[in-house]
């Protein structure tokens, strides 16, 4: 379409069986919109597979912009994650590290960057926080920003992590990727499965200032523009009939509470719970879902939530609550129709629980943030994170610090004496023993029991924040192996500077006769040891005693 106020252009490509095998079996319609008074470009795409088309994996769907490296040197991802970046040539002349994305800058064009590590994964971001990022040029003083007003078309839910910007200078909008999830994220299209999805619109925003102004004004303006775009969502100007306007969508309202009688006799508010609609599936399946749309919100302090502007369709309602283990799923699928407003009333989540808490380690927040993250190696650091204690985990090579701290023995945690902020390493990794060979490591939790209750099993709740080609085995005292996860996880969060990947929860029954009056030891072994990046991150561990009848 074209008029005095707007132009929308469509570039389309149709797939045919006669095309070569390297052409993705996909109909592609790429759209670009320019609007009067808008300092930028809106872009979106409609991707479609028809029934019966060949199998394909679409592990990565993204928008990429490569900017002029002679102009754009300053990158901004958030208020506190901003810096002058290396040049592409610096990576070529630098020293490759443990994997291709990580390079030690040995002779950078900007000498102030010498001795730093550059790795694009150090600038990853959770999707819920990834609404604006980009680059600044000082000559002329202009900004180039990627604004994403909604995550409804992204994969894996609100805490899925992904790339933002990196050396190039490159600006990304990641719609689908297996980063921080691996192939557990469902990107496989099989048996002639039909599929259609609108990705976007996103907004490429350009701004400028006079040479006398502070370049930070460009970042502040980009944030203000992002807020404007979020309020405008869903846009009413895209021409594709596959992008529904606000009046063609629906909403879901409700209140979530938690029932855990070992915390309170009454229902407690699901304070600040994340509540979302995603494709129908099992409990927690939303974090492995890439094909449909997802709509998430965060409840208020009393657990009241409102999910707005939901596309028509069939969904399951999912949730999780900070401070509470496990995942919630509403028992009935929800059908959204244009203009519908569904009020669910009070919903009750019964989290996994078999008895009172004897002891616990960590905070159930789906990350390993609260555990001990060591200081970076002075010769392998990104100076951006030296003054950001909450982002220490983004430094390169921290997995190698484990062998420095525990050269022969492993973590021993004494309940009631040890402190998980200091005595629980953030990642349960392998130990190098020379010649690039590695050994499995076994951590111990030592605790006392005044008496053993024989009325039933004890329960060990183990929540993992990440797993990469790992196998967690659990043993109690001198007994044989009690439990194993088997081989799990492909999220690679340890190597990619993430403090979490996919969430796993295991409820492990411990027969009372395996426990002793006095000292007891739980042994946690990460069995797989072919590489330095195999390992798990714990979210939270709790031992429950048998419930009294």
């Amino acid at each position: 379409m074209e008029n005095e106020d707007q132009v929308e252009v469509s570039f389309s490509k149709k797939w045919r069986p006669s095309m070569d095998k390297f052409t993705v079996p996909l109909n592609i319609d790429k759209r670009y919109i320019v609007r009067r008074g808008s300092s930028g470009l809106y872009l979106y795409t409609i991707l479609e597979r028809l029934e019966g088309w060949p199998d394909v994996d679409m592990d990565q769907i993204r928008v990429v912009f490569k900017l002029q490296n002679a102009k754009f040197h300053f990158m901004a991802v958030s208020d506190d994650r901003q810096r002058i970046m290396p040049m592409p040539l610096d990576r070529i002349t630098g020293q490759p590290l443990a994997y291709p994305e990580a390079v030690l800058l040995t002779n950078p064009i900007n000498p102030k960057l010498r001795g730093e590590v550059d790795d694009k994964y150090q600038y990853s971001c959770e999707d819920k926080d990834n609404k604006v990022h980009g680059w600044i040029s000082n000559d002329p003083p202009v900004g180039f920003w990627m604004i994403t007003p909604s995550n409804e078309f992204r994969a894996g839910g609100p805490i899925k992590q992904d790339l933002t910007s990196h050396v190039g200078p490159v600006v990304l909008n990641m719609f689908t990727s297996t980063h921080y999830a691996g192939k557990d994220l469902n990107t496989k299209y099989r048996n002639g499965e039909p599929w259609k999805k609108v990705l976007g619109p996103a907004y490429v925003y350009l701004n400028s200032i006079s040479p006398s102004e502070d370049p930070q004004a460009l970042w502040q303006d980009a944030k203000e523009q992002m807020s404007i775009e979020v309020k405008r969502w869903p846009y009413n100007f895209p021409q594709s009939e596959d992008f529904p306007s606000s009046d063609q969508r629906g909403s879901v309202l409700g209140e979530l509470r938690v029932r855990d009688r070992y915390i309170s006799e009454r229902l407690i508010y699901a304070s600040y719970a994340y509540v979302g609609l995603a494709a129908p599936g099992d409990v927690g399946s939303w974090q492995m879902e890439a094909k449909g749309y997802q709509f998430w919100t965060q409840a208020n302090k009393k657990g009241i939530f409102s999910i707005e502007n939901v596309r028509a369709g069939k969904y399951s309602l999912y949730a999780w609550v900070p401070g509470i283990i496990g995942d919630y799923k509403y028992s009935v699928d929800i059908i959204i129709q244009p203009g519908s407003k569904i009020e669910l009333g009070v919903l009750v989540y019964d989290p996994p629980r078999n008895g009172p808490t004897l002891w616990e380690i960590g905070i159930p927040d789906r990350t390993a943030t609260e555990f001990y993250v060591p200081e970076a190696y002075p010769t392998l650091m990104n100076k951006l994170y030296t003054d950001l204690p909450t982002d220490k985990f983004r430094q390169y090579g921290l997995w190698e610090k484990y062998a420095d701290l525990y050269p022969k023995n492993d973590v021993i945690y004494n309940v009631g004496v040890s402190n998980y902020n200091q005595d629980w390493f953030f990642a349960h990794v392998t130990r190098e023993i020379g010649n690039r060979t590695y050994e499995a490591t076994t951590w111990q939790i030592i605790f006392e029991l005044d008496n053993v209750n024989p009325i039933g099993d004890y329960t060990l709740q183990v929540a993992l924040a990440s797993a990469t080609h790992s196998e967690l085995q659990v043993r109690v005292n001198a007994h044989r192996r009690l439990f194993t996860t088997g081989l799990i996880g492909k999220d690679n969060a340890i190597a990619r500077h993430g403090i979490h990947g996919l969430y796993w929860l295991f409820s492990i029954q411990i027969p009372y006769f395996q426990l002793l009056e006095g000292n007891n030891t739980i042994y946690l072994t990460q069995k797989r040891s072919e590489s330095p990046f195999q390992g798990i991150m714990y979210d939270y561990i709790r031992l429950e005693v048998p419930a009294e009848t």
Side-chain angles (χ1 to χ4, degrees):
M1 64 89 71
E2 178 184 9
N3 60 32
E4 293 183 352
D5 296 315
Q6 178 172 319
V7 172
E8 178 168 338
V9 181
S10 166
F11 298 87
S12 61
K13 178 180 180 179
K14 300 288 186 180
W15 183 81
R16 301 183 303 277
S18 60
M19 290 180 171
D20 65 69
K21 64 179 181 179
F22 300 107
T23 301
V24 178
L26 197 66
N27 288 337
I28 302 171
D29 183 356
K30 295 162 66 172
R31 304 286 188 105
Y32 300 90
I33 303 171
V34 178
R35 308 190 76 215
R36 181 178 296 279
S38 174
S39 180
L41 176 73
Y42 294 90
L43 52 89
Y44 67 111
T45 186
I46 304 103
L47 303 182
E48 181 181 28
R49 279 174 49 86
L50 300 184
E51 187 172 0
W53 281 10
D55 293 353
V56 68
D57 291 15
M58 289 190 281
D59 291 349
Q60 189 161 234
I61 306 171
R62 65 185 187 178
V63 174
V64 186
F65 283 89
K66 180 77 176 291
L67 308 183
Q68 294 185 47
N69 60 35
K71 296 291 184 182
F72 290 90
H73 300 153
F74 190 88
M75 185 189 76
V77 176
S78 66
D79 283 333
D80 53 5
R81 299 173 68 194
Q82 306 181 11
R83 65 167 299 161
I84 294 174
M85 292 291 284
M87 300 290 283
L89 181 61
D90 297 339
R91 291 184 54 84
I92 296 173
T93 61
Q95 175 186 336
L97 295 174
Y99 47 89
E101 293 86 351
V103 172
L104 177 64
L105 305 178
T106 56
N107 189 30
I109 295 170
N110 182 346
K112 293 181 180 180
L113 302 180
R114 183 177 290 113
E116 291 199 51
V117 170
D118 177 71
D119 184 340
K120 64 184 181 180
Y121 292 109
Q122 291 179 320
Y123 305 107
S124 295
C125 183
E126 290 184 347
D127 283 348
K128 66 181 175 61
D129 302 319
N130 184 7
K131 291 184 171 64
V132 58
H133 62 90
W135 291 77
I136 292 174
S137 165
N138 284 329
D139 182 22
V142 300
F144 186 102
W145 309 102
M146 178 65 71
I147 294 177
T148 309
S150 171
N151 287 318
E152 68 179 48
F153 42 81
R154 283 175 165 163
I159 57 173
K160 166 72 163 64
Q161 299 174 90
D162 230 315
L163 299 172
T164 56
S165 294
H166 58 80
V167 167
V170 166
V171 181
L172 298 166
N173 198 323
M174 306 296 299
F175 298 133
T176 297
S177 86
T178 55
H179 298 145
Y180 302 96
K183 293 292 284 186
D184 288 321
L185 189 73
N186 184 15
T187 60
K188 299 178 181 179
Y189 298 79
R190 297 289 185 268
N191 303 316
E193 174 186 0
W195 175 74
K196 191 174 190 180
K197 190 173 184 180
V198 178
L199 303 174
Y203 184 41
V204 175
Y205 179 59
L206 307 170
N207 57 4
S208 63
I209 55 175
S210 68
S212 62
E213 293 182 77
D214 185 349
Q216 271 293 309
L218 294 168
W219 167 249
Q220 297 300 325
D221 176 68
K223 289 198 302 177
E224 292 173 9
Q225 188 63 42
M226 177 270 290
S227 297
I228 292 171
E229 300 300 324
V230 169
K231 292 176 182 177
R232 287 176 176 170
W233 187 269
Y235 299 132
N236 60 8
F237 51 82
Q239 295 299 297
S240 172
E241 62 183 17
D242 293 306
F243 184 77
S245 58
S246 181
D247 60 357
Q248 296 173 300
R249 297 173 177 235
S251 62
V252 177
L253 297 80
E255 177 182 347
L256 184 64
R257 297 194 182 185
V258 176
R259 178 165 46 213
D260 187 334
R261 68 187 180 94
Y262 296 107
I263 296 177
S264 172
E265 290 295 328
R266 298 181 178 182
L267 296 179
I268 59 177
Y269 297 132
S271 298
Y272 309 113
Y274 289 87
V275 187
L277 297 171
D282 297 329
V283 173
S285 62
W286 53 268
Q287 65 175 343
M288 279 84 78
E289 213 288 308
K291 297 176 182 178
Y293 300 94
Q294 298 199 22
F295 302 86
W296 288 86
T297 191
Q298 191 167 14
N300 67 13
K301 186 176 182 179
K302 294 186 176 181
I304 298 171
F305 63 89
S306 177
I307 308 174
E308 306 290 340
N309 294 310
V310 183
R311 284 171 161 266
K314 183 179 180 180
Y315 302 90
S316 290
L317 185 139
Y318 305 95
W320 85 94
V321 186
I324 303 293
I325 65 171
D327 282 275
Y328 170 80
K329 179 191 172 186
Y330 186 49
S331 58
V332 179
D333 286 339
I334 293 176
I335 308 296
I336 299 293
Q337 297 178 342
S340 64
K341 183 177 181 180
I342 299 175
E343 298 186 15
L344 296 176
V346 176
L347 309 178
V348 178
Y349 172 42
D350 293 287
R353 169 76 80 169
N354 290 325
T357 299
L358 182 63
W359 50 257
E360 58 188 351
I361 301 173
I363 301 169
D365 60 0
R366 295 176 179 252
T367 80
T369 306
E370 69 271 27
F371 299 125
Y372 176 70
V373 179
E375 299 296 328
Y377 289 105
T379 57
L380 292 171
M381 71 169 48
N382 184 323
K383 292 180 182 177
L384 175 62
Y385 299 118
T386 56
D387 296 323
L388 294 176
T390 57
D391 286 275
K392 285 174 63 178
F393 65 87
R394 299 187 190 277
Q395 297 282 13
Y396 173 84
L398 297 183
W399 57 88
E400 295 180 351
K401 283 278 189 172
Y402 182 79
D404 295 342
L405 294 168
Y406 302 94
K408 295 181 179 179
N409 300 315
D410 291 314
V411 168
I412 298 176
Y413 190 90
N414 286 278
V415 172
V417 177
S418 300
N419 184 326
Y420 61 75
N421 299 119
Q422 300 172 350
D423 302 313
W424 192 269
F425 198 74
F426 80 103
H428 191 161
V429 292
T430 58
R431 181 193 292 105
E432 184 175 4
I433 55 177
N435 298 321
R436 295 186 179 181
T437 58
Y438 307 89
E439 65 179 2
T441 56
T442 297
W443 294 11
Q444 299 178 45
I445 303 172
I446 299 174
F447 63 98
E448 282 196 17
L449 280 176
D450 293 334
N451 56 75
V452 177
N453 192 333
I455 67 170
D457 291 342
Y458 287 65
T459 304
L460 185 69
Q461 305 282 8
V462 179
L464 304 184
S466 168
T468 304
H469 300 293
S470 300
E471 179 181 359
L472 176 63
Q473 295 183 357
V474 179
R475 184 164 53 89
V476 178
N477 294 324
H479 296 275
R480 294 181 179 180
R481 188 180 72 195
L482 174 70
F483 171 84
T484 180
T485 61
L487 182 62
I488 60 170
K490 303 169 187 175
D491 62 43
N492 213 19
I494 294 171
R496 289 177 169 171
H497 321 295
I499 202 64
H500 72 88
L502 297 183
Y503 178 77
W504 306 76
L505 178 64
F506 302 96
S507 296
I508 304 165
Q509 302 303 307
I510 302 177
Y512 73 88
F513 54 80
Q514 291 193 3
L515 297 170
L516 307 170
E517 290 188 3
N519 280 342
N520 290 266
T521 303
I522 292 176
Y523 299 89
L524 305 174
T525 301
Q526 197 297 99
K527 189 67 175 177
R528 307 295 174 124
S529 57
E530 290 79 34
S531 91
F533 305 125
Q534 288 175 284
I536 58 178
M537 296 184 194
Y538 297 95
D539 167 39
Y540 175 74
I541 301 176
R542 181 172 76 209
L543 183 63
E544 299 168 358
V545 301
E548 297 288 346
T549 57

